[in-house]
Amino acid sequence: MTSGWPKGSVTMAASAAFPQSLAYITASGAGLAVFLFLASLLLVSNPLSCTVQGYFYKLDTPKVILPPVMPQDQLDSYSNVDSGDNKSQPSGFNFTTSDLGIKNPASVNEEVTKGPDPKLKSRGETSDAASQEVNTTTGSDDSGCDLFKGTWFYDPRGPLYTNSSCPVISLMQNCQGNGRPDREYESYRWKPSQCELPRFDAKKFLELMRGKTLAFIGDSVARNQMESLLCLLWQAIPNERGNKRIHRFYFRSTSTTIVRVWSSWLVHQTPEAIDFAPEGVTKLHLDSPYENFMEFIPTFDVVVLSSGHWFAKRSVYVLNNEIVGGQLWWPDKSREAKINNIEAFGVSVETIVASMATHPNFTGLTILRTYSPDHYEGGAWNSGGSCTGTRPLEPEQLVKNDYTDIMHEKQMTGFHRGIQKKSNKSKFVMMDITEVFSYRYDGHPGPFRTLSPDGKPRTRMQDCLHWCMPGPIDTWNELVLEIIRREYEGKRSSSS
């Protein structure tokens, strides 16, 4: 049986139709291209709204990539109070403001639960210890006032973000997400005695840092502060880049880069055997800076340094290639240790400050954030210590902490010795938050650092070192912004 169609007629029919189909597709593609071109011109010249722009930005919003999981002995911890820097978030996720349902900053503030007392409350006034630091070291014409003497007060407007509106909060700083029932601690702000400390202004920060890079260098508390800054800047979603040594968050609108560099002690460390110290125990070369970030120093415009808590961990102290002391390690009782962990901390601060102050290619601004106080009451981090406050301490409630005080003193001494060696054009400021934050025992995660499998807070081991987000640590970045403003706006006014 044969078909009524001539042999080869199907092929010929398809061949005849093909040019017409191709012409139709070509015309349609050209029309679509013209439409997209005209639409893009319209959006650029007359943006419809932030929401519309958000859909376009979503196309190239990258995943948030976490650092690789480190060995247990390298976990970001204070005597292992932090169970791991790299298990606190999903391994990666895309985020945009539309994904999170984020509204504008004003509406977020309105939704924050208000504290029980709408009146302003004062908490504590600091000493004069750092009254000269900002004024004498920035080189700015705008000397301002002492930022570190003042009071804590309750601000009914609440924080600038919530734990659900910022996607970069580590699990262990997400106190509300871990079941903390109160939130008054989120709304206390710092008020210097003789001037105002403005609420954080993301637009102002990004404009001052246009084309510049700010780097946080230090341990898990430095990470805590970096994440706070990113949350305060949530309106301008960054691109995340980086590797094992350095993480970069890039804000396209102003070509601003925020960097985090991990450095537990800020000085060179090795595991190799030295003299009677065997292989495996961390050796801290107190007279050599940590080379993993020193190579990047010339590319940074602002550096925020912080350290101290890792000097409570097991390590060996080396000066001039000679073992001079150790922490939780000293096997040869016939030898006398020359320095302890507190003195070693002071030497390390002098080393890193002097290294930056003499670096021939560094001309930036260094902000040394002083020792962050912890608030373990009734025991240590692993022996029942707790921090269960809901509001800042009153001045008469403040209990002196001798260890915090001596660490702060050694840090200040090391800082001043380091900048005395300065030979380049860089600037140095000490951001003295130690006493200011001694009143904020209410701002730590405490038992709300993680949840147990049954969904309840873990009360056996509390975190009274790191800070809830949102919370008191956001004030650190308000201070950083004010220091940067004084530096850069002072330069502009003096040159005009």
Side-chain angles (χ1 to χ4, degrees):
M1 183 176 179
T2 60
S3 169
W5 290 93
K7 185 177 181 180
S9 60
V10 174
T11 303
M12 289 186 294
S15 299
F18 180 75
Q20 298 178 4
S21 301
L22 180 59
Y24 176 80
I25 293 172
T26 302
S28 300
L32 179 60
V34 171
F35 171 78
L36 290 175
F37 175 74
L38 293 174
S40 63
L41 285 178
L42 178 61
L43 284 171
V44 170
S45 61
N46 186 26
L48 299 179
S49 68
C50 294
T51 304
V52 174
Q53 292 182 32
Y55 286 109
F56 284 88
Y57 290 160
K58 184 175 179 180
L59 296 176
D60 62 355
T61 300
K63 292 184 177 180
V64 174
I65 304 171
L66 297 174
V69 176
M70 296 179 288
Q72 184 64 32
D73 63 343
Q74 292 296 316
L75 289 176
D76 178 11
S77 63
Y78 172 41
S79 299
N80 292 328
V81 70
D82 189 342
S83 63
D85 188 28
N86 309 290
K87 298 179 181 179
S88 55
Q89 299 175 155
S91 60
F93 52 90
N94 289 314
F95 63 93
T96 65
T97 53
S98 56
D99 291 334
L100 297 168
I102 300 175
K103 302 177 182 180
N104 62 57
S107 63
V108 170
N109 291 340
E110 292 169 0
E111 292 174 357
V112 175
T113 301
K114 302 300 186 295
D117 185 357
K119 297 180 180 179
L120 301 185
K121 307 173 184 178
S122 297
R123 291 292 186 275
E125 186 160 312
T126 63
S127 69
D128 293 323
S131 61
Q132 301 301 317
E133 292 303 329
V134 173
N135 297 347
T136 59
T137 58
T138 61
S140 170
D141 289 344
D142 180 8
S143 60
C145 71
D146 180 3
L147 295 172
F148 312 108
K149 181 178 181 180
T151 58
W152 288 99
F153 72 95
Y154 183 80
D155 186 346
R157 292 175 294 177
L160 289 171
Y161 63 94
T162 69
N163 69 300
S164 61
S165 70
C166 180
V168 296
I169 299 177
S170 293
L171 172 64
M172 285 170 289
Q173 275 71 71
N174 188 355
C175 300
Q176 291 297 313
N178 291 331
R180 181 165 176 169
D182 64 297
R183 60 191 318 165
E184 182 181 1
Y185 67 92
E186 295 180 337
S187 299
Y188 281 93
R189 295 190 57 244
W190 179 247
K191 169 66 173 67
S193 296
Q194 298 179 354
C195 62
E196 296 293 329
L197 179 62
R199 281 167 70 88
F200 189 89
D201 185 333
K203 182 178 180 181
K204 178 76 170 179
F205 176 87
L206 290 173
E207 191 57 44
L208 286 171
M209 292 297 296
R210 178 177 291 275
K212 295 181 174 63
T213 297
L214 182 150
F216 291 97
I217 302 177
D219 54 19
S220 59
V221 185
R223 179 213 66 209
N224 202 173
Q225 184 178 0
M226 181 210 69
E227 291 177 350
S228 164
L229 179 61
L230 291 177
C231 287
L232 291 166
L233 296 171
W234 63 261
Q235 299 100 318
I237 299 172
N239 293 338
E240 200 277 346
R241 308 167 180 173
N243 52 42
K244 293 180 180 180
R245 293 191 298 165
I246 184 170
H247 272 186
R248 298 178 185 272
F249 295 84
Y250 180 73
F251 292 82
R252 291 173 297 158
S253 61
T254 57
S255 299
T256 301
T257 303
I258 306 299
V259 171
R260 177 210 169 188
V261 183
W262 174 269
S263 182
S264 308
W265 288 281
L266 300 182
V267 293
H268 178 61
Q269 60 189 73
T270 59
E272 291 82 10
I274 298 177
D275 197 4
F276 61 97
E279 183 178 359
V281 183
T282 300
K283 321 298 184 305
L284 300 182
H285 294 256
L286 299 174
D287 48 4
S288 299
Y290 188 52
E291 65 282 358
N292 275 15
F293 67 78
M294 285 304 295
E295 65 176 287
F296 298 110
I297 287 297
T299 68
F300 299 152
D301 300 282
V302 179
V303 175
V304 180
L305 289 175
S306 55
S307 64
H309 292 286
W310 275 65
F311 281 86
K313 293 177 67 68
R314 186 171 183 251
S315 53
V316 178
Y317 305 137
V318 181
L319 278 172
N320 296 319
N321 293 317
E322 175 190 354
I323 297 176
V324 294
Q327 169 67 2
L328 301 178
W329 180 91
W330 195 254
D332 190 348
K333 303 302 181 183
S334 65
R335 300 172 184 257
E336 182 180 357
K338 297 179 181 179
I339 65 173
N340 59 22
N341 66 317
I342 297 172
E343 293 162 335
F345 174 51
V347 175
S348 73
V349 173
E350 179 180 351
T351 294
I352 187 58
V353 170
S355 297
M356 296 180 66
T358 57
H359 196 296
N361 298 319
F362 179 59
T363 59
L365 168 66
T366 298
I367 302 171
L368 179 70
R369 194 262 298 150
T370 60
Y371 191 78
S372 178
D374 58 36
H375 293 88
Y376 289 97
E377 300 175 351
W381 67 274
N382 59 351
S383 60
S386 65
C387 47
T388 55
T390 58
R391 61 183 63 182
L393 291 167
E394 298 286 355
E396 63 273 11
Q397 295 176 310
L398 189 62
V399 178
K400 190 175 182 64
N401 186 316
D402 291 334
Y403 182 77
T404 296
D405 289 347
I406 191 64
M407 288 292 279
H408 177 251
E409 178 186 334
K410 292 295 183 182
Q411 188 178 31
M412 292 186 74
T413 300
F415 174 79
H416 288 297
R417 287 178 176 173
I419 61 176
Q420 285 175 359
K421 302 173 184 179
K422 193 167 82 72
S423 61
N424 58 22
K425 296 182 180 180
S426 61
K427 305 288 194 306
F428 288 81
V429 177
M430 179 176 286
M431 194 173 91
D432 194 357
I433 57 88
T434 304
E435 186 172 350
V436 174
F437 279 77
S438 295
Y439 293 93
R440 296 309 310 270
Y441 81 127
D442 58 317
H444 300 293
F448 303 103
R449 61 189 290 267
T450 54
L451 293 176
S452 61
D454 60 1
K456 297 180 179 179
R458 298 179 184 270
T459 57
R460 183 183 67 84
M461 189 182 298
Q462 297 196 22
D463 182 356
C464 301
L465 169 67
H466 300 95
W467 302 91
C468 293
M469 291 175 54
I473 196 169
D474 298 322
T475 302
W476 292 3
N477 291 312
E478 289 181 337
L479 291 166
V480 165
L481 173 54
E482 177 61 15
I483 292 170
I484 291 173
R485 185 197 67 78
R486 292 181 178 189
E487 171 62 20
Y488 291 143
E489 289 189 348
K491 278 184 177 180
R492 291 171 186 170
S493 61
S494 62
S495 61
S496 60

